[in-house]
Amino acid sequence: MAIDDPVRGNTDTPDAPEAQAAAETRSTWSALRPLVLRIHFYAGVLVAPLLLVAATSGLLYALSFQAEKVLYSHELTTDVGERKVPLDTQVAAARKAHPEGTVTAVWPSAEDGATTRVLMSSDEVEEGKSLAVFVDPYTAQVRGDLPSYGSSGALPLRTWLDELHRDLHLGDLGRNYSELAASWLWVVALGGLLLWIGRKRSAKRALFVPERGAKGRRRTLSWHGSVGLWAVTGLVLLSATGLTWSRYAGENIGAVQDQLGGATPVVAATLEGAAAGGDEHEGHGADGHGDAHQGADIGIDNAVAAAAGEGVDGRISVILPADGSGYVVKETDTLFPVNLDSVAIDPADARVMDELRFADYPLLAQLTRFGIDAHMGVLFGLPNQLALAALMIGLIMLTVWGYRMWWLRRPTKDRGLGFGRPIPRGAWRKVPVTALLPLAAVTALVGWFVPMLGVSLLVFLAVDITLGLVARARAGAPAA
């Protein structure tokens, strides 16, 4: 029953349910905060070295795009001539320079002064790579050749740095490092975000910029938190896109994507009467693309002209036909807005057999493509690469500041060597069951879906429990 006070009005607070809900939220966070802090601490201390390696190699990779333009300028550029010679003539010059190779694809010169890139499968390069022969489009003179890797055409410098970032040049064994780093990066980033936002502060400005006049550990924490706040979105996106091509989590992500109908489609290039399986692919080596084609052939110039008639032009890649498949001409302009349409051309009569527009991709496939291209630094060109470099510098500094805070938490200042104290054990016991059970279920599900995260988390728990038992045995009393 409400009691009205003539001075103070209705003493029943109409927003009591909201106030109670807010109080419960604060209570839940107060119980969760020590647990989040302990996980953030352990993950930061133990996984940070991997993140530091990934960030450093990622920084070098982001800078390699511009470095390649300088290092390989002779191969990539030439003097501008009056007109370009036919592509057939350029390809013939590449074949003459490397008669042992098999032409698989051609990247025509897309701008004035740029060379044409003729890709070959050859014993001169490692398996999985192509030999890129650079041809002057105005004179058909070969300006050089370099190993090339991937759909972005990474040359030796970028390829070496890419492999360093991906697997430390250790093959499949080394891929575990990058997957472990990517698996924990989003956990560390989001945990840090929760901790930073949940801190009490006198001014909201301190949430976004480092505190003025702060000293010691407080100053380091201020920089760590505010920079982390600005970087968290990028770090989570890097983690998610990096996991898409990891060994274990990548398989699960691919399976889910297929189930949701988000697989990336390919243009059908199989000729009538040929065996299935001739769809679009890059054609490195054993697939027999290029010089293996038998029968009538309109030539690459007519194939490019036919594709241009369908609106597929500009920066393109032309995959040469093999027995049973036709030409595949696809746009490769990843600068936003992207131009990634493709068509399949019959080599006998220039008939368009199939076309695939990027706008017709499933939404999930489009988002995946955007995410991967952004991770690789090709979506927005130079701005993308500069943003990646800044993000990697931020991650390096966040790691350094994190270790500095750990160092500053040493038990005593007069002790020259030692490490910071971890957050006390038993934090999970204070979490309400209504929050603990769903949290445990979500953790188990995520650990199964991202195996490297789940396995390493179990290892962390095992080590922590062992250390707790050892401490209890030494103290002769139950651990806190």
Side-chain angles (χ1 to χ4, degrees), residues 276-294:
D279 288 350
E280 174 197 354
H281 51 291
E282 286 293 343
H284 295 295
D287 54 64
H289 259 79
D291 298 336
H293 174 66
Q294 302 294 329

Side-chain angles (χ1 to χ4, degrees), residues 36 40 186-198 224-225 228-229 232:
V36 175
H40 186 72
W186 68 274
V187 177
V188 175
L190 291 180
L193 177 65
L194 290 175
L195 293 169
W196 184 242
I197 292 177
H224 183 83
L229 179 68
V232 64

Side-chain angles (χ1 to χ4, degrees), residues 53-362:
V53 172
T56 303
S57 58
L59 172 62
L60 295 175
Y61 175 81
L63 299 177
S64 68
F65 287 85
Q66 303 307 314
E68 279 192 338
K69 293 181 180 180
V70 177
L71 187 61
Y72 306 120
S73 60
H74 177 75
E75 289 82 3
L76 294 171
T77 60
T78 186
D79 295 331
V80 179
E82 293 183 1
R83 64 182 182 87
K84 296 178 180 179
V85 301
L87 284 172
D88 281 324
T89 303
Q90 299 179 50
V91 173
R95 285 195 177 107
K96 183 178 180 180
H98 292 275
E100 79 291 345
T102 300
V103 178
T104 59
V106 178
W107 295 8
S109 170
E111 55 190 27
D112 293 340
T115 55
T116 293
R117 194 178 304 197
V118 179
L119 301 180
M120 292 182 166
S121 59
S122 173
D123 293 336
E124 296 182 17
V125 294
E126 301 176 23
E127 184 179 356
K129 295 182 175 65
S130 295
L131 179 66
V133 182
F134 299 88
V135 182
D136 188 325
Y138 306 101
T139 65
Q141 293 182 344
V142 174
R143 293 185 61 81
D145 56 79
L146 293 166
S148 175
Y149 177 75
S151 59
S152 65
L155 298 179
L157 174 63
R158 184 150 53 99
T159 300
W160 191 89
L161 291 173
D162 175 56
E163 293 173 351
L164 176 68
H165 180 67
R166 184 174 66 248
D167 59 23
L168 301 177
H169 295 280
L170 297 176
D172 288 341
L173 177 63
R175 290 184 65 184
N176 294 328
Y177 120 82
S178 58
E179 182 165 359
L180 189 61
S183 298
W184 276 98
L185 177 57
W186 68 274
V187 177
V188 175
L190 291 180
L193 177 65
L194 290 175
L195 293 169
W196 184 242
I197 292 177
R199 284 181 62 86
K200 294 181 180 179
R201 49 180 55 84
S202 57
K204 290 184 178 180
R205 182 179 182 276
L207 181 67
F208 302 98
V209 296
E211 286 187 57
R212 295 179 179 177
K215 297 181 180 180
R217 183 177 178 275
R218 185 180 180 87
R219 180 174 183 272
T220 304
L221 176 61
S222 179
W223 278 94
H224 183 83
S226 56
V227 172
L229 179 68
W230 289 104
V232 64
T233 301
L235 294 178
V236 171
L237 290 176
L238 281 180
S239 175
T241 52
L243 287 173
T244 57
W245 61 74
S246 60
R247 291 184 64 187
Y248 304 110
E251 293 182 2
N252 293 333
I253 293 173
V256 170
Q257 188 173 353
D258 291 343
Q259 289 292 326
L260 295 176
T264 301
V266 294
V267 66
T270 304
L271 299 173
E272 293 183 5
D279 288 350
E280 174 197 354
H281 51 291
E282 286 293 343
H284 295 295
D287 54 64
H289 259 79
D291 298 336
H293 174 66
Q294 302 294 329
D297 191 344
I298 57 172
I300 187 173
D301 290 284
N302 289 326
V304 169
E310 298 297 319
V312 179
D313 53 12
R315 189 178 297 275
I316 61 173
S317 167
V318 185
I319 300 174
L320 272 61
D323 283 339
S325 66
Y327 284 96
V328 173
V329 183
K330 55 182 181 178
E331 295 173 332
T332 59
D333 185 4
T334 56
L335 297 181
F336 197 84
V338 301
N339 293 288
L340 299 173
D341 298 342
S342 58
V343 293
I345 307 295
D346 192 320
D349 55 13
R351 176 177 57 88
V352 176
M353 300 187 295
D354 188 29
E355 65 179 38
L356 178 62
R357 305 295 174 179
F358 185 71
D360 296 330
Y361 278 34

